[in-house]
Amino acid sequence: MSSSYLPATTGSLEEASEAKSPSEAISILYRILENPSSSSDALRIKESAINNLSDLLRLENRAEELKNLLSRLRPFFLLIPKAKTAKIVRGVVDAVAKIPGTSDLQIALCKEIVHWTRAEKRTFLRQRIEARLAALLMENKEYSEALTLLSGLIKEVRRLDDKLLLVDIDLLESKLHFSLRNLPKAKAALTAARTAANAIYVPPAQQGTIDLQSGILHAEERDYKTAYSYFYEAFEAFNALEDPQAIYSLKYMLLCKVMVSQADDVAGIISSPKVGLQYQGPELDAMKAVADAHSKRSLKLFEVALRNFRAQLDEDPIVHRHLSSLYDTLLEQNLCRLIEPFSKVEIAHIAELIELPADHVEKKLSQMILDKKFAGTLDQGAGCLVIFDDPKTDAIYPATLDTISNMGKVVDSLYVRSAKIMA
């Protein structure tokens, strides 16, 4: 890289854009930034050079250089308004985020920026970078550190009454508590986000994120019909913006249809004009396979779907949690149907009928016996399941309890009457 600087003019920017290689363009842009001029035109040209440079470094996957760029620009930040500084810093952070495999670098960069903004007393920028840092820590599963950071940030932002940032932070807190399986706090944080959002104009993308989180929480409470409506609203918002999250909203919509035993509707939704060919891919193929298995009540097809679409089903924590419940329900229904004609049957025979490993079937049958799904016992020596007749309910005990209850009422009534006479 040449040590001589270039004039901060549009001609220098054009020279960079016409460079033969990205490395040459990056070198020219660095030389523009080295120009000592601080006139308004020079500062404007330098801002454009920074934007172009961050784009080029991102395309070249030079994440470490992007991180170092912010350190080099600190003297420049003293010459421009704080709002422009915040825009440039957040732009560079976004550029680093678009480079794959840089989560640790992003965390280190955000911590460095937070330290600098505290020293420079740039509160507005610090709060937004801290919110970004909390989100990165949550993605990295460093939940305790993220929660500590958010707790202090929420108190500070509420004092300042910055509603737009407060919506972001409350929404992030809801996601964090949901990851920690603390549903009451997740719901409370989401309610706080909605309350703050009602007082201001919320961008469509943020409203979509709120609806998506609402759907996830309702689905967790097994209220799949309400969850479906929230996922639909989120899909509408993301679809209009062509946001990548639209596919996940659509995927969770289909999940809700499967969970309420309306799997036949899945094919119709996938083939609708709004979805069309735009969202066709492994995510929808996975849900179609699950819906097909559910319609046919086939555990074999269900396991094939889980095996073929592991990334889309098993590695998605939300889908995985609900499908595990669905799988258990299907397995229990199939086992109860198969053992119904028998009083004694070999476990190997049941495993053969249901097309599952014998040890897996045996484990599930023992669990069902303990849960009192049916009356029976496992004869492991003979490898058989012995099914008992349903025990007849003895009516003596309930009748006795009713008699004692009625006698108690009579005694209480007589006591009240005697008290009135004595008075």
Side-chain angles (χ1 to χ4, degrees):
M1 189 184 298
S2 173
S3 60
S4 61
Y5 61 81
L6 287 174
T9 60
T10 52
S12 298
L13 288 176
E14 287 173 6
E15 184 183 343
S17 65
E18 293 168 1
K20 294 178 181 178
S21 67
S23 298
E24 186 183 340
I26 289 168
S27 176
I28 293 169
L29 291 170
Y30 271 125
R31 288 167 65 193
I32 294 171
L33 294 179
E34 287 170 5
N35 190 305
S37 175
S38 58
S39 66
S40 59
D41 287 341
L43 292 176
R44 182 173 50 79
I45 295 296
K46 286 182 182 180
E47 283 177 42
S48 299
I50 290 165
N51 292 332
N52 294 345
L53 182 58
S54 61
D55 287 341
L56 282 170
L57 291 174
R58 175 179 60 80
L59 292 171
E60 290 292 295
N61 290 338
R62 289 154 74 166
E64 193 66 43
E65 205 166 324
L66 270 170
K67 179 175 177 288
N68 295 333
L69 176 63
L70 282 180
S71 301
R72 292 183 60 170
L73 289 175
R74 285 177 188 176
F76 173 73
F77 291 151
L78 298 173
L79 304 173
I80 61 174
K82 288 184 176 181
K84 284 189 177 180
T85 299
K87 185 179 178 182
I88 291 170
V89 170
R90 291 165 71 184
V92 172
V93 172
D94 288 340
V96 175
K98 290 174 183 175
I99 299 173
T102 58
S103 59
D104 290 337
L105 184 70
Q106 288 178 62
I107 290 171
L109 176 60
C110 287
K111 286 180 177 178
E112 188 180 305
I113 295 169
V114 167
H115 183 72
W116 173 69
T117 50
R118 282 189 186 279
E120 293 290 323
K121 296 182 179 178
R122 295 176 184 255
T123 306
F124 178 86
L125 177 58
R126 174 180 58 78
Q127 289 171 343
R128 277 149 183 80
I129 295 297
E130 282 186 334
R132 182 69 167 265
L133 176 58
L136 288 167
L137 289 169
M138 185 181 74
E139 287 174 15
N140 233 27
K141 298 186 178 180
E142 297 176 32
Y143 299 125
S144 58
E145 189 177 349
L147 198 56
T148 304
L149 181 61
L150 272 184
S151 300
L153 189 58
I154 286 172
K155 291 176 185 175
E156 188 180 341
V157 173
R158 277 187 181 146
R159 282 200 302 271
L160 296 172
D161 201 30
D162 185 345
K163 291 245 180 342
L164 193 58
L165 180 58
L166 193 58
V167 172
D168 275 336
I169 295 170
D170 283 331
L171 195 54
L172 186 58
E173 187 188 16
S174 177
K175 291 178 181 178
L176 183 56
H177 284 303
F178 177 74
S179 299
L180 293 169
R181 312 297 305 131
N182 190 336
L183 287 182
K185 285 193 175 182
K187 287 173 66 180
L190 182 63
T191 303
R194 283 191 170 281
T195 304
N198 287 336
I200 56 168
Y201 168 75
V202 177
Q206 198 173 36
Q207 185 60 53
T209 308
I210 291 172
D211 289 331
L212 182 61
Q213 182 66 8
S214 299
I216 289 169
L217 292 181
H218 278 284
E220 193 65 24
E221 295 180 324
R222 303 290 188 267
D223 184 2
Y224 293 110
K225 288 187 177 178
T226 307
Y228 178 86
S229 64
Y230 276 118
F231 288 138
Y232 181 78
E233 292 296 330
F235 173 70
E236 289 281 303
F238 292 137
N239 182 49
L241 297 168
E242 297 183 357
D243 191 298
Q245 289 190 83
I247 187 66
Y248 296 106
S249 303
L250 179 57
K251 181 180 173 182
Y252 300 151
M253 280 168 58
L254 301 178
L255 174 67
C256 289
K257 283 292 184 185
V258 173
M259 296 305 293
V260 293
S261 300
Q262 295 177 359
D264 295 337
D265 295 348
V266 169
I269 294 170
I270 291 174
S271 60
S272 65
K274 186 172 286 188
V275 175
L277 298 173
Q278 186 178 358
Y279 297 104
Q280 297 299 327
E283 300 288 350
L284 296 193
D285 290 343
M287 296 313 299
K288 193 174 181 181
V290 169
D292 186 45
H294 185 271
S295 296
K296 295 176 180 175
R297 296 197 174 277
S298 171
L299 285 168
K300 187 178 180 181
L301 288 176
F302 203 102
E303 292 206 329
V304 169
L306 291 174
R307 190 166 56 251
N308 292 344
F309 299 99
R310 183 174 295 278
Q312 291 76 27
L313 300 176
D314 214 30
E315 294 177 14
D316 185 326
I318 295 162
V319 174
H320 174 71
R321 191 174 295 117
H322 295 290
L323 289 188
S324 296
S325 169
L326 182 65
Y327 179 81
D328 283 344
T329 304
L330 274 177
L331 181 55
E332 287 177 5
Q333 288 174 353
N334 276 267
L335 285 173
C336 286
R337 181 170 54 81
L338 287 173
I339 66 175
E340 192 175 4
F342 300 103
S343 58
K344 186 175 183 179
V345 60
E346 289 184 351
I347 295 170
H349 180 61
I350 298 173
E352 187 181 335
L353 290 173
I354 206 167
E355 298 179 320
L356 288 175
D359 58 339
H360 182 52
V361 171
E362 184 178 343
K363 184 179 177 182
K364 187 62 185 176
L365 287 170
S366 66
Q367 184 185 333
M368 290 171 68
I369 292 168
L370 290 172
D371 292 341
K372 297 184 178 178
K373 297 291 172 68
F374 68 91
T377 185
L378 288 169
D379 185 348
Q380 290 181 313
C384 293
L385 170 70
V386 180
I387 300 105
F388 303 146
D389 293 332
D390 291 332
K392 293 180 181 178
T393 307
D394 195 336
I396 292 176
Y397 296 108
T400 305
L401 288 172
D402 287 342
T403 303
I404 293 169
S405 176
N406 290 331
M407 285 176 65
K409 289 176 184 177
V410 170
V411 171
D412 290 341
S413 176
L414 290 171
Y415 174 77
V416 170
R417 288 186 182 183
S418 64
K420 285 180 180 179
I421 293 168
M422 292 297 290

